[in-house]
Amino acid sequence: MTAARPPTTAEELRGAGLRVTAARVALLETVRAGGHLGVEAIASQVRDRIGHVSLQAVYEALHALTAAGLVRRVEPAGSPARFEGRVGDNHHHVVCRSCGAVADVDCPAGEAHCLTASDDHGFVIDEAEVIYWGTCPACTTAHRSAAP
């Protein structure tokens, strides 16, 4: 008996009904390895892996991957869109007001209780987006160091 191996990135793309290209494979792997990356950072890392890729191609691939549920778009108010590979678990985010760093925050009770609204107004709720705002440890330390 052999253990089932996880699907390759190419198999995941095919399974989502997407065409497999070197750019899409590199992009999906970059997003999954990179946390909460902006489009420019993603494009730069994809170029490092496969050579030239246009920014427009990166935007189009991100749109397709997001629509297919392979990538999640996070867009805190006043910040550019960021993308992450953690999908399907309805986690939340904390954003630093100073430097814009973003980190994942799991639902407090371990389950997505936030999907049960006190009044859903007839909507079928499938996602909740909670963003906590504060100051990250690095900015807090820098602020304390700069204080007289």
Side-chain angles (χ1 to χ4, degrees), residues 68-72 84-91 112 115 126-127:
L70 296 174
V71 167
R72 182 175 176 190
E84 66 178 341
R86 185 175 171 187
V87 296
D89 67 351
N90 201 60
H91 67 281
L115 292 180
D126 60 14
E127 182 178 10

Side-chain angles (χ1 to χ4, degrees), residues 14-107:
R14 280 189 207 96
L18 297 173
R19 191 169 46 97
V20 177
T21 66
R24 283 185 177 168
V25 169
L27 195 147
L28 183 54
E29 290 174 353
T30 296
V31 169
R32 286 183 171 163
H36 304 89
L37 298 173
V39 175
E40 294 287 340
I42 293 168
S44 175
Q45 291 183 35
V46 169
R47 288 181 189 121
D48 288 346
R49 292 177 70 162
I50 66 166
H52 177 76
V53 63
S54 72
L55 198 54
Q56 182 63 35
V58 170
Y59 274 106
E60 290 172 2
L62 284 168
H63 178 76
L65 293 171
T66 301
L70 296 174
V71 167
R72 182 175 176 190
R73 179 185 175 114
V74 179
E75 197 166 357
S79 300
R82 310 256 186 121
F83 296 86
E84 66 178 341
R86 185 175 171 187
V87 296
D89 67 351
N90 201 60
H91 67 281
H92 308 301
H93 297 94
V94 61
V95 180
C96 179
R97 290 186 188 278
S98 183
C99 71
V102 178
D104 291 335
V105 177
D106 291 324
C107 286

Side-chain angles (χ1 to χ4, degrees), residues 96 98-99 134-147:
C96 179
S98 183
C99 71
T135 307
C136 72
C139 289
T140 300
T141 301
H143 178 71
R144 285 185 189 141
S145 298

